Amino acid sequence: MFYDSAMNPLINPIFLHGCVASIQFLFLIVLFITWVWKRFKLDQTLVPKQSSGCLFYKQTLFCSLVLSLFNLVLCFFNNFYWYRNGWTDEKIVTLLNALLGALVWLFVSVYLHTLVSNSSTGSRKYPSVMRVWWVFFFTVSCYSLVVDYVYYKKTQDLVSMLFVSDSVSSFMGLFLCFVGLSYKTEEESQSNNLEEPLLSSGVSRGGVASTYENASFYSLLTFSWMNSVIAKGNKKTLDLEDVPQLAKIDSVKEVYPVLLNKVESLGNGGNQITAFGLTKALLYIVWKDVAITGLLALVTSLTSFVGPYLIEAFVQYLDGQRDYKHQGFVLVAAFLVSKVIGCFTQRHWYFKLQQAGIRARSAVVAMIYQKGLTISGQSKQGNSSGEIINFMAVDAERIGDYAWYMHDFWIVLVQVGVALWLLYRNLGLAFIASLIATILVLLANIPLGNIQEKLQDDLMKSKDKRMKSTSEILRNMRILKLQGWEMKFLSKVTKLRDEEQGALKKYMYTLSMTSFIFWGAPIIVAVATFATCLFAGIPLESGKVLSALATFKILQEPIYNLPDSVSVFFQTKVSLDRIATYLRLNDIDSSAVSKVSRGSSETAVEIINGNFSWDSNASSNPTLKDINIRVNHGMRVAVCGTVGSGKSSLLSCILGEVSKISGSVKVEGSKAYVAQSAWIQSGKIEDNILFGREMDRERYEKVLEACSLKKDLEILSFGDQTVIGERGINLSGGQKQRIQIARALYQDADIYLFDDPFSAVDAHTGSHLFKECMLQFLDSKTVVYITHQVEFLPAADLILVLRDGRITQAGKYNDLLSSGSDFMDLVGAHKEALSAIDSMGTTVDQEQTGSSKKNTNDDQNGKSDDSSGTKAQLVQEEEREKGRVGFSVYWKYVTTAYGGALAPLILLVVILFQVLQIGSNYWMAWASPVSASDPAPVTSSTLIIVYVALSAGCALCVLARGLLIATMAYKAATILFHQMHLAIFRSPMSFFDSTPSGRILNRASTDQSAVDLQIPYQVASFVFAIIQLLGIIAVMSQCAWQVIVIFIPVAGMCVWLQQYYLPSAREMSRLVGVCKGPVIQNFSETISGSTTIRSFDQQARFQDTNLKLNDDFSRPKFHAAAAMEWLGIRLDMLSSFTFAVFLIFLVSIPEGTIDASIAGLAATYGLTLNNLQGWAVWTLTNLENKIISVERIFQYSSIPSEPPLIIESNRPDDQWPSQGEVDIRHLQVRYAPHMPLVLRGLTCTFTGGKKTGIVGRTGSGKSTLIQTLFRLVEPAAGQILIDGINISTIGLHDLRSRLSIIPQDPTMFEGTIRSNLDPLEEYTDDKIWEALDKCQLGEEVRSKEGKLDSPVTENGENWSVGQRQLVCLGRVLLKKSKVLVLDEATASVDTATDGMIQQTLAKHFTDSTVIMIAHRITSVLDSDMVLVLEQGLIEEYDSPTKLLEDKSSSFAKLVAEYSMRSSSSYENLAAT
């Protein structure tokens, strides 16, 4: 009895603590009111959030939490005390004091947290109410300590619990007093703020310095170096610049050179590398991490067996068999220490492995990229860009992910070995049955592993084919929409997906069988072991049974993970094989061209006896034969010849792109190259022109002037800062080509190689470019140019005429005219075209020429009107959802398949499994005697029969669960795939213009893969983990319900920690998704422009860009992994604390209060508590991260669609259009709501059956008019009528299928000649042959082995550009529409072929309306009408004859310009 009524109440500890309890209660109410008032005031004033400047904030918060926990533990000790000694009113006071203390300090912690979350800029002090409380608390604690001492002296009766409580409170109170009475001054905080920029000045632009690199040991141990990132993520949405930089050792810039050297040393220069060699090289860069994680894995595995080892002794202790005093507390300490060590080692094991994986992935991606820069053209033909992108997006990712599974194979052996030893110790020779059962289960892996590897391989191959096709379709979506073919090509992708789904379905059901076998594994092993004990007469005591059950539970994880490990091992092996095969492909032969620096001789380019072939194996039939040329410095060399004669190949052999069979090539000086098909990087126009060089403003301005880009840049809203869409999508063909030329000019190289760049620009600009660039800007340079325009030939010092891969003639213009027929054929066709101008009676006098020149200058410098509309870039930054993933996303996903009907079934099966599993273990614990001397409650046979029955029920539930999940997952993946692809294919062209294909491909590959194979299992795992967790809590609470009092606050803290962590984790995961797009897009651009990159010797700069993008991708990935372990380690500590309190409770209660077997069962379940809690949070976080893929797919499934393909109520009749009259009324067009108008009010009529030519300088709106005719762009105002029908009122398919077009960029798709001419399979072979003959390709195709089934490679690379244009002509000849549009269709062919195309069209489209955009003036001279556009307005519209009669008309000036440049004036100009 503590309370003595005679004693002065002021020195009675019990009375004192009663008073303190009352004051605490009052303080709690005051604090609550203060908090509510502050919250209300804060909401009213909307104070901006910022980090608190309060002194020692973290330590104060920690102090409060410790005091709360300490009081909670005291409360429990009091509770246990009652069990033993009964309880009194005084003890209730003590208990109440402890309970209120716990609540008060918990509330103080919450109050401090809200304080820091919402602190305003002014306050640096803690609130007065807090400081007063801390001073009071310290004073009372010190006084209480003195009273305890006085009481002890007086009564010799020390109340130990109160003494400990008051000692801890005094110590903590001292610290809180110090904090409360000190605070930062305003000046200090400002000076701290001033220091911050200086501290971070060493950080590279766009990020925070690495917190990992400079962290202390304690910080590394507890992952506290992540605190700043997680705290920031709670205050704002994280952006990439908020994520710290990688440590040096993790940066790909450090890792990649090491891997490259190792690969080269192992593979004789890199080209002989095997998958095994690549593995060795990768291990070399991560071996330290592998060794450390191996050690950590071993320690983790050994500590996991401490629990099962001690459980029997624990049950015996609870049953009353005590070996020594305090044995119970020693056992609790052993349990706790092993748990804590296991937690720390496991967390660091997982983190280190992921760190190694990220490092390996980055290095592999860098190697794949480097290979993309050096791979030869022939090798590239065998691997499409889609496949190569897959190496980077999927295979490298898989190699990085394999790190997780690296130690699984040997760890299984350690775990099985320790488990068998434990079983032998408990159950004697029955362990042999366990061993045999385990071996049988492991052997079942072999056939399953083989099946999974094969299915995985099939899945990857079919995915590659689908991605290859999708990539090609996205690149050419404009053509598909113009032709009305997009739905046919969607069905092609769907067909490839069906193939992939076949493999996916088999793979999923195999996976569910695997999971059935391995969830059943511990059940099989347990049944085999206990049955053997029964038959061998080995007594089963509950302690031994529980130890065995705990051992089987630990064995379950490695055995369950083993099939995963086997499957991932084979997947990774497949990926390593694929990457090694790719790395072994032939590179461009760097020795093919002998490169010499400028100044050693007069020769710039020399080829002696050169034989070259694109196919290095086909040396019998080279592409170029017996090439002998010598070009001196300063010479201008023109290359001409018919389509397919080998002109581009000649430039390629100077660049070293073609395999050299024999001969020698020497190039002296630096090179610049302009490709025939413009290659433009997405990014600013300025960056495209500078192309890695420093800005020299004077030279830059001269280059813009020479390439007539100044006026274009004035029209663009952002000038040269305009961001170009992917592949220059928001530029016209001419603008792209001129930017390419500007890039070459700015480089100031010695040798310039031009592959017919003037064909893509109009006649006026072409002549300006030739004069300004070739004759003036590059006056002193060596220039080799291919051209189809005969008028550019006289200016050349040397003309090379090619035919069938040979140089048939070489010499000056006039010399060649008098010799040989090849050159005469080309010039003859041109002269014929010119005579058309003469026949129209146009005289070109000097005055006219002068006015034309003057017009050119005016044209270049004239300011355009200010464009209406707000300014905005076409390509916007990738959208990403912010904040938490809405419940609607989960709900939509779960209800996608069968309306969600399978979800409740899966839930039911999982609950049933958990009930049966707990039931079977409960049965074994209850039905086994505690010791050999106790009687058994049931017979041995009953014991085993009931256990087998319950276990069989468990196994069946696992099978049902696996099959139901596979069915649901497969169905959901299929539906989501079709929804997204339909939305993408039906989206308007503006979507493709403003969305880089890398973004779309990322969703079609990475996100779709996640939906196929990861998300369904993540959802199921989370549900499973939660139900198992509830099962454990139920078992532990059934044994000792008081533990719920601990569970509730700990569970609350776990949820709070998880909620605190999730915003950062979620945003980092989203950043990983967003940062992957640029890596893929940059790679995709590099592959398509590798020739240009190599010709400028810019490989190193592009590799640097790739390394930077790679690190930007790794940064959020690395920190997301660390954040996961940050959370894990804290949750582990909380669950270890819960488990320890539970065990203390069990050893503290009086003997015999509860059944020792059931208490042992609860302890056995408690052993897995932290693993399961970690697993539940990990699966939830992973699910939140992965479900973002579903969110991204839903995002693309709801893209606004184009108008309907067919409007049933308004379908034109089958004969429409019968006349072909096109009536344009007040037409206004803009590409996007935020962009300026491109066409600004056109009104004109194209008469049916007539030929109309459209001319105008580049960017005047010619191609936009055509796009509006096909409704790729919808009019902003006005309308277009065809035969009286407003085209905006009918279905898109009805419109586009009745019109024909030969587009500006000739496009062919991978497949055959037949599938390229007739993708909709509407025509017979005879019709196709007829069309081929008409377009002069009949002989060419007949000479090929496959005839109509001759292969066409990706982008039609194995056909020349001219031949591709002829195939486009073949398509329209097959379709034979009433309205035909030619969009600069003859730009890529020589004059003779152009003439042939014009004759073919004139012959077969006599009664059709032909609308023709042309750069060759001769092409439009025989038109019935000519429309001249200027800056989106009609400048002139009349017959060519009338326009030519008016010498001041723009058209007359264009014709005069053309005639002038076609005479020998260029030759004269060149001579001056």
Side-chain angles (χ1 to χ4, degrees):
M1 181 95 174
F2 296 125
Y3 186 66
D4 180 358
S5 53
M7 187 182 284
N8 181 348
L10 289 176
I11 56 167
N12 185 319
I14 302 303
F15 177 77
L16 197 61
H17 283 86
C19 291
V20 171
S22 310
I23 294 165
Q24 281 182 331
F25 183 66
L26 284 171
F27 173 68
L28 196 59
I29 293 167
V30 170
L31 195 61
F32 181 72
I33 292 165
T34 312
W35 180 75
V36 169
W37 182 75
K38 274 200 179 273
R39 293 291 292 185
F40 178 74
K41 188 180 171 192
L42 207 100
D43 291 342
Q44 295 286 310
T45 53
L46 292 170
V47 175
K49 291 189 177 186
Q50 102 163 22
S51 178
S52 175
C54 296
L55 195 66
F56 297 124
Y57 161 71
K58 286 180 185 170
Q59 291 85 337
T60 310
L61 186 61
F62 176 72
C63 216
S64 305
L65 284 170
V66 165
L67 278 167
S68 178
L69 273 175
F70 175 69
N71 278 294
L72 196 61
V73 172
L74 270 184
C75 190
F76 271 88
F77 272 117
N78 273 306
N79 204 351
F80 302 149
Y81 210 64
W82 297 349
Y83 264 88
R84 290 190 171 170
N85 308 315
W87 49 275
T88 63
D89 293 345
E90 290 86 346
K91 284 179 190 167
I92 291 177
V93 170
T94 317
L95 183 70
L96 193 63
N97 183 39
L99 194 60
L100 279 165
L103 278 172
V104 164
W105 288 109
L106 183 65
F107 205 86
V108 166
S109 306
V110 173
Y111 185 79
L112 283 170
H113 177 67
T114 55
L115 177 80
V116 78
S117 299
N118 304 301
S119 85
S120 64
T121 49
S123 171
R124 300 287 168 193
K125 296 180 183 179
Y126 286 101
S128 305
V129 67
M130 298 299 297
R131 288 182 292 134
V132 168
W133 169 249
W134 289 338
V135 171
F136 171 77
F137 175 71
F138 175 60
T139 311
V140 170
S141 300
C142 291
Y143 178 68
S144 298
L145 199 59
V146 172
V147 168
D148 290 338
Y149 180 71
V150 170
Y151 183 81
Y152 170 68
K153 282 288 181 190
K154 196 166 183 178
T155 63
Q156 297 298 308
D157 181 11
L158 180 65
V159 188
S160 55
M161 217 176 283
L162 295 180
F163 185 77
V164 170
S165 165
D166 293 334
S167 302
V168 170
S169 298
S170 301
F171 175 72
M172 294 291 194
L174 179 65
F175 171 74
L176 291 171
C177 261
F178 164 73
V179 168
L181 298 173
S182 327
Y183 58 89
K184 286 186 185 178
T185 65
E186 204 69 38
E187 289 76 14
E188 274 179 319
S189 6
Q190 281 177 359
S191 68
N192 286 353
N193 288 345
L194 287 172
E195 284 167 25
E196 276 175 18
L198 300 173
L199 292 173
S200 59
S201 59
V203 181
S204 66
R205 186 169 58 85
V208 187
S210 170
T211 48
Y212 172 72
E213 202 163 24
N214 307 314
S216 64
F217 173 74
Y218 170 77
S219 184
L220 287 172
L221 185 69
T222 59
F223 291 93
S224 301
W225 53 273
M226 279 299 297
N227 288 355
S228 56
V229 183
I230 292 169
K232 192 176 275 185
N234 257 282
K235 294 195 174 69
K236 67 184 279 277
T237 302
L238 284 180
D239 292 312
L240 189 62
E241 53 270 21
D242 299 318
V243 180
Q245 296 292 333
L246 293 169
K248 252 190 177 173
I249 53 163
D250 294 314
S251 172
V252 67
K253 290 170 185 166
E254 298 285 322
V255 180
Y256 167 62
V258 181
L259 180 69
L260 192 64
N261 292 339
K262 197 70 186 165
V263 165
E264 283 175 352
S265 66
L266 288 169
N268 305 329
N271 265 20
Q272 300 305 315
I273 192 71
T274 59
F276 180 66
L278 184 58
T279 310
K280 270 171 72 177
L282 284 168
L283 278 172
Y284 178 74
I285 61 171
V286 294
W287 72 268
K288 279 184 189 165
D289 290 324
V290 173
I292 293 166
T293 50
L295 185 64
L296 292 170
L298 184 63
V299 174
T300 306
S301 297
L302 294 175
T303 55
S304 69
F305 283 102
V306 172
Y309 177 75
L310 295 175
I311 203 83
E312 190 192 355
F314 190 69
V315 171
Q316 297 299 342
Y317 173 82
L318 293 179
D319 197 39
Q321 297 172 30
R322 315 282 160 99
D323 296 339
Y324 50 88
K325 198 181 177 189
H326 300 309
Q327 184 192 357
F329 290 103
V330 170
L331 284 170
V332 171
F335 273 123
L336 186 61
V337 168
S338 68
K339 272 259 169 251
V340 170
I341 292 171
C343 291
F344 277 102
T345 52
Q346 187 182 38
R347 292 295 148 207
H348 285 279
W349 165 27
Y350 288 171
F351 172 66
K352 279 281 183 201
L353 279 181
Q354 288 182 84
Q355 186 181 14
I358 288 168
R359 208 178 295 165
R361 188 209 69 87
S362 299
V364 169
V365 167
M367 280 211 73
I368 294 168
Y369 185 88
Q370 183 60 39
K371 186 71 182 179
L373 285 171
T374 60
I375 190 171
S376 70
Q378 185 200 348
S379 300
K380 203 196 279 185
Q381 275 187 12
N383 290 272
S384 72
S385 56
E387 283 175 316
I388 298 172
I389 286 167
N390 246 358
F391 293 141
M392 183 181 266
V394 180
D395 294 298
E397 198 74 43
R398 193 168 280 160
I399 289 168
D401 290 344
Y402 182 68
W404 269 105
Y405 303 88
M406 198 178 285
H407 298 299
D408 281 12
F409 293 104
W410 68 266
I411 279 290
V412 165
L413 297 175
V414 171
Q415 287 175 317
V416 169
V418 176
L420 291 173
W421 170 76
L422 256 179
L423 290 170
Y424 173 67
R425 181 179 162 276
N426 284 324
L427 304 174
L429 290 174
F431 92 92
I432 294 169
S434 308
L435 175 63
I436 292 166
T438 305
I439 289 170
L440 286 173
V441 167
L442 292 178
L443 284 177
N445 266 313
I446 297 167
L448 276 166
N450 290 340
I451 292 167
Q452 280 194 319
E453 183 190 10
K454 186 187 175 302
L455 288 171
Q456 184 65 41
D457 204 23
D458 292 348
L459 196 58
M460 282 313 298
K461 279 179 183 162
S462 48
K463 184 178 178 175
D464 277 354
K465 275 159 75 179
R466 173 172 67 82
M467 287 311 297
K468 185 177 176 180
S469 178
T470 309
S471 174
E472 183 179 49
I473 287 167
L474 291 175
R475 257 198 318 275
N476 300 307
M477 188 54 86
R478 183 175 299 277
I479 306 300
L480 298 183
K481 290 210 174 271
L482 286 169
Q483 302 281 11
W485 289 346
E486 70 267 42
M487 298 319 284
K488 175 68 183 175
F489 278 76
L490 173 60
S491 68
K492 184 180 169 187
V493 172
T494 308
K495 200 172 168 188
L496 290 168
R497 172 67 183 179
D498 290 343
E499 220 177 282
E500 185 184 354
Q501 275 172 350
L504 180 68
K505 196 172 191 175
K506 288 178 194 162
Y507 182 76
M508 280 178 154
Y509 284 116
T510 311
L511 211 59
S512 59
M513 289 307 295
T514 314
S515 100
F516 163 59
I517 290 169
F518 291 98
W519 270 102
I523 299 170
I524 296 162
V525 176
V527 169
T529 309
F530 294 145
T532 308
C533 287
L534 172 66
F535 293 123
I538 298 166
L540 286 174
E541 296 162 19
S542 58
K544 292 186 163 105
V545 167
L546 290 170
S547 178
L549 285 172
T551 308
F552 297 145
K553 215 166 185 58
I554 290 173
L555 264 185
Q556 178 183 3
E557 199 179 336
I559 292 178
Y560 175 62
N561 284 341
L562 201 62
D564 258 3
S565 309
V566 171
S567 160
V568 172
F569 172 78
F570 285 118
Q571 287 175 23
T572 311
K573 183 174 170 292
V574 168
S575 290
L576 281 164
D577 283 335
R578 281 156 54 91
I579 290 172
T581 306
Y582 170 66
L583 293 176
R584 283 199 301 273
L585 291 174
N586 291 331
D587 284 346
I588 279 178
D589 182 5
S590 53
S591 62
V593 177
S594 160
K595 292 174 184 170
V596 189
S597 57
R598 175 79 198 262
S600 50
S601 74
E602 280 301 304
T603 310
V605 179
E606 185 174 35
I607 304 177
I608 303 169
N609 300 326
N611 285 287
F612 304 90
S613 175
W614 283 106
D615 184 355
S616 54
N617 303 322
S619 51
S620 56
N621 184 23
T623 311
L624 294 173
K625 311 169 199 72
D626 308 325
I627 303 295
N628 284 283
I629 55 170
R630 179 176 177 163
V631 179
N632 289 334
H633 285 294
M635 273 179 79
R636 260 192 301 276
V637 179
V639 181
C640 59
T642 54
V643 170
S645 58
K647 301 183 295 298
S648 297
S649 299
L650 181 65
L651 286 195
S652 294
C653 71
I654 296 172
L655 290 168
E657 296 287 320
V658 193
S659 300
K660 182 175 73 176
I661 298 166
S662 62
S664 68
V665 183
K666 188 182 98 172
V667 175
E668 188 180 297
S670 58
K671 311 179 294 298
Y673 167 67
V674 179
Q676 186 172 8
S677 302
W679 176 75
I680 301 287
Q681 272 184 286
S682 47
K684 291 178 187 165
I685 291 177
E686 181 189 276
D687 295 340
N688 266 285
I689 296 172
L690 296 182
F691 207 55
R693 288 179 78 97
E694 288 296 313
M695 167 63 88
D696 172 348
R697 184 53 69 180
E698 191 184 340
R699 182 175 181 82
Y700 183 73
E701 293 298 330
K702 280 183 184 169
V703 167
L704 292 183
E705 187 68 55
C707 297
S708 9
L709 277 168
K710 288 211 160 175
K711 185 159 188 184
D712 296 274
L713 295 182
E714 283 165 11
I715 293 168
L716 293 169
S717 304
F718 293 84
D720 63 359
Q721 299 304 303
T722 301
V723 174
I724 301 171
E726 197 177 13
R727 302 186 310 282
I729 207 109
N730 47 339
L731 299 176
S732 70
Q735 286 169 327
K736 282 190 274 193
Q737 200 60 276
R738 284 180 289 129
I739 287 172
Q740 261 211 131
I741 296 169
R743 174 171 64 206
L745 262 52
Y746 189 79
Q747 294 300 305
D748 194 22
D750 300 315
I751 302 162
Y752 283 82
L753 306 171
F754 289 91
D755 192 349
D756 197 16
F758 307 115
S759 61
V761 295
D762 55 76
H764 178 84
T765 312
S767 59
H768 175 84
L769 283 175
F770 190 78
K771 187 179 85 179
E772 293 289 328
C773 299
M774 293 285 197
L775 305 182
Q776 291 177 5
F777 202 95
L778 300 177
D779 187 32
S780 59
K781 303 287 186 183
T782 310
V783 182
V784 179
Y785 62 97
I786 293 172
T787 185
H788 287 129
Q789 279 106 317
V790 174
E791 60 271 20
F792 293 150
L793 294 175
D797 302 315
L798 173 66
I799 299 170
L800 304 174
V801 183
L802 271 90
R803 188 183 187 87
D804 298 330
R806 293 178 192 276
I807 296 176
T808 53
Q809 291 170 280
K812 276 187 162 285
Y813 185 78
N814 291 330
D815 301 340
L816 292 179
L817 279 176
S818 54
S819 69
S821 62
D822 289 337
F823 189 63
M824 280 308 295
D825 288 349
L826 292 166
V827 176
H830 176 64
K831 290 246 167 86
E832 216 173 283
L834 273 180
S835 64
I837 298 179
D838 298 336
S839 66
M840 301 190 82
T842 309
T843 55
V844 184
D845 54 15
Q846 199 55 42
E847 180 198 344
Q848 182 67 47
T849 307
S851 70
S852 170
K853 281 184 185 173
K854 179 173 172 291
N855 175 266
T856 304
N857 294 334
D858 292 345
D859 210 23
Q860 297 309 311
N861 301 322
K863 291 272 180 196
S864 67
D865 298 339
D866 283 344
S867 304
S868 60
T870 53
K871 291 186 177 186
Q873 298 281 23
L874 174 72
V875 179
Q876 303 292 330
E877 199 154 308
E878 178 162 10
E879 67 299 319
R880 76 179 218 252
E881 302 285 343
K882 297 198 173 174
R884 68 180 307 142
V885 179
F887 176 72
S888 60
V889 175
Y890 293 93
W891 182 251
K892 263 174 90 177
Y893 174 68
V894 169
T895 54
T896 299
Y898 307 108
L902 294 184
L905 278 176
I906 293 169
L907 191 63
L908 184 68
V909 167
V910 171
I911 292 170
L912 198 58
F913 168 79
Q914 189 60 26
V915 169
L916 288 172
Q917 195 193 41
I918 291 172
S920 63
N921 292 343
Y922 197 94
W923 168 257
M924 285 305 287
W926 175 82
S928 306
V930 177
S931 63
S933 58
D934 293 347
V938 295
T939 62
S940 302
S941 54
T942 310
L943 177 75
I944 293 299
I945 289 165
V946 172
Y947 184 69
V948 168
L950 290 168
S951 300
C954 278
L956 285 172
C957 286
V958 170
L959 179 62
R961 183 187 77 131
L963 294 173
L964 285 169
I965 289 169
T967 308
M968 184 175 155
Y970 171 76
K971 185 72 176 172
T974 306
I975 290 170
L976 289 177
F977 176 87
H978 291 307
Q979 279 179 355
M980 176 173 75
H981 279 71
L982 180 64
I984 290 171
F985 276 67
R986 287 286 295 114
S987 59
M989 202 59 223
S990 58
F991 168 74
F992 298 96
D993 291 349
S994 60
T995 310
S997 63
R999 280 185 206 168
I1000 305 173
L1001 288 173
N1002 205 357
R1003 280 168 172 80
S1005 65
T1006 314
D1007 293 323
Q1008 187 63 46
S1009 276
V1011 170
D1012 286 349
L1013 293 169
Q1014 290 171 313
I1015 291 166
Y1017 297 102
Q1018 292 289 353
V1019 173
S1021 285
F1022 175 63
V1023 172
F1024 202 36
I1026 292 296
I1027 287 168
Q1028 281 201 297
L1029 200 56
L1030 292 172
I1032 288 184
I1033 291 169
V1035 171
M1036 289 171 80
S1037 303
Q1038 190 268 340
C1039 174
W1041 62 266
Q1042 292 85 349
V1043 178
I1044 289 178
V1045 184
I1046 272 278
F1047 270 134
I1048 290 167
V1050 167
M1053 287 184 77
C1054 287
V1055 170
W1056 179 80
L1057 269 171
Q1058 196 222 9
Q1059 292 306 314
Y1060 183 68
Y1061 148 87
L1062 262 180
S1064 313
R1066 195 188 300 121
E1067 292 313 319
M1068 282 193 281
S1069 177
R1070 283 185 174 137
L1071 283 172
V1072 169
V1074 169
C1075 293
K1076 191 168 188 176
V1079 177
I1080 293 174
Q1081 191 192 334
N1082 175 52
F1083 188 37
S1084 169
E1085 278 182 355
T1086 304
I1087 291 169
S1088 57
S1090 54
T1091 305
T1092 304
I1093 294 166
R1094 283 192 291 264
S1095 66
F1096 286 94
D1097 292 322
Q1098 292 269 5
Q1099 296 98 310
R1101 180 172 72 87
F1102 273 78
Q1103 179 63 286
D1104 280 347
T1105 305
N1106 170 58
L1107 296 181
K1108 186 193 171 300
L1109 289 171
N1110 224 327
D1111 271 351
D1112 283 350
F1113 173 67
S1114 297
R1115 263 162 61 199
K1117 206 173 168 69
F1118 172 82
H1119 287 90
M1124 182 79 237
E1125 305 312 328
W1126 176 93
L1127 176 67
I1129 216 154
R1130 281 150 182 77
L1131 293 179
D1132 285 352
M1133 290 300 106
L1134 283 170
S1135 59
S1136 298
F1137 166 74
T1138 310
F1139 184 52
V1141 170
F1142 173 68
L1143 293 181
I1144 290 167
F1145 179 79
L1146 290 181
V1147 298
S1148 302
I1149 56 174
E1151 197 181 309
T1153 309
I1154 56 170
D1155 187 328
S1157 302
I1158 303 305
L1161 177 68
T1164 309
Y1165 270 97
L1167 284 172
T1168 58
L1169 183 64
N1170 67 322
N1171 284 345
L1172 203 52
Q1173 201 173 28
W1175 184 37
V1177 172
W1178 185 81
T1179 49
L1180 175 61
T1181 309
N1182 232 8
L1183 178 57
E1184 277 240 341
N1185 293 345
K1186 294 287 180 199
I1187 203 80
I1188 291 165
S1189 290
V1190 174
E1191 185 181 49
R1192 284 157 61 87
I1193 285 176
F1194 281 146
Q1195 203 178 51
Y1196 270 30
S1197 301
S1198 54
I1199 306 163
S1201 173
E1202 276 188 310
L1205 292 175
I1206 290 169
I1207 299 171
E1208 287 296 345
S1209 60
N1210 195 15
R1211 294 200 69 174
D1213 61 54
D1214 293 343
Q1215 303 307 312
W1216 181 86
S1218 53
Q1219 304 300 314
E1221 182 174 279
V1222 180
D1223 189 10
I1224 300 169
R1225 297 178 186 173
H1226 314 296
L1227 187 66
Q1228 293 185 3
V1229 177
R1230 53 161 56 96
Y1231 277 101
H1234 57 257
M1235 307 281 283
L1237 284 172
V1238 183
L1239 297 181
R1240 301 188 287 164
L1242 305 190
T1243 301
C1244 63
T1245 302
F1246 302 152
T1247 316
K1250 302 288 185 190
K1251 183 177 177 184
T1252 305
I1254 303 176
V1255 293
R1257 74 184 297 285
T1258 304
S1260 59
K1262 305 186 295 290
S1263 290
T1264 305
L1265 177 58
I1266 300 309
Q1267 289 189 55
T1268 315
L1269 182 63
F1270 281 82
R1271 284 178 66 196
L1272 286 191
V1273 186
E1274 293 289 333
Q1279 56 188 31
I1280 298 177
L1281 305 176
I1282 298 180
D1283 283 2
I1285 292 181
N1286 182 350
I1287 62 167
S1288 296
T1289 62
I1290 61 171
L1292 290 180
H1293 191 267
D1294 282 337
L1295 170 69
R1296 292 169 186 168
S1297 62
R1298 310 293 174 88
L1299 309 178
S1300 285
I1301 182 166
I1302 302 181
Q1304 186 173 359
D1305 301 315
T1307 306
M1308 287 175 80
F1309 300 92
E1310 188 170 7
T1312 62
I1313 288 291
R1314 181 190 279 107
S1315 69
N1316 267 281
L1317 282 165
D1318 179 27
L1320 303 184
E1321 297 164 8
E1322 294 175 330
Y1323 304 100
T1324 62
D1325 283 9
D1326 292 342
K1327 285 270 177 72
I1328 295 171
W1329 279 117
E1330 189 184 322
L1332 282 170
D1333 288 333
K1334 285 175 186 170
C1335 66
Q1336 312 288 306
L1337 275 176
E1339 288 310 310
E1340 177 75 32
V1341 176
R1342 283 190 183 90
S1343 69
K1344 292 191 180 285
E1345 200 179 318
K1347 305 285 191 290
L1348 288 179
D1349 293 318
S1350 303
V1352 176
T1353 58
E1354 189 179 18
N1355 294 335
E1357 297 286 352
N1358 57 342
W1359 296 75
S1360 76
V1361 177
Q1363 287 169 326
R1364 282 182 244 164
Q1365 196 62 283
L1366 294 176
V1367 169
C1368 295
L1369 172 64
R1371 285 177 191 152
V1372 301
L1373 289 168
L1374 265 179
K1375 204 170 175 183
K1376 220 161 179 273
S1377 303
K1378 196 69 184 167
V1379 177
L1380 170 65
V1381 176
L1382 306 176
D1383 188 357
E1384 298 166 10
T1386 56
S1388 308
V1389 293
D1390 55 84
T1391 317
T1393 313
D1394 182 17
M1396 183 276 294
I1397 290 175
Q1398 298 301 335
Q1399 283 169 12
T1400 308
L1401 293 174
K1403 184 176 173 187
H1404 297 285
F1405 288 91
T1406 43
D1407 56 348
S1408 295
T1409 306
V1410 179
I1411 301 167
M1412 183 177 202
I1413 294 176
H1415 289 150
R1416 287 202 180 99
I1417 292 298
T1418 49
S1419 305
V1420 292
L1421 280 175
D1422 62 344
S1423 302
D1424 300 300
M1425 297 290 278
V1426 170
L1427 174 70
V1428 182
L1429 287 178
E1430 178 63 28
Q1431 288 182 38
L1433 294 165
I1434 295 178
E1435 193 170 4
E1436 295 163 1
Y1437 183 46
D1438 213 330
S1439 68
T1441 321
K1442 283 188 180 167
L1443 287 174
L1444 288 171
E1445 283 168 3
D1446 177 6
K1447 297 287 185 288
S1448 63
S1449 74
S1450 294
F1451 184 64
K1453 288 172 186 171
L1454 280 171
V1455 174
E1457 175 82 18
Y1458 187 79
S1459 305
M1460 182 221 32
R1461 81 170 187 193
S1462 300
S1463 66
S1464 59
S1465 55
Y1466 278 129
E1467 198 175 8
N1468 304 334
L1469 222 155
T1472 58

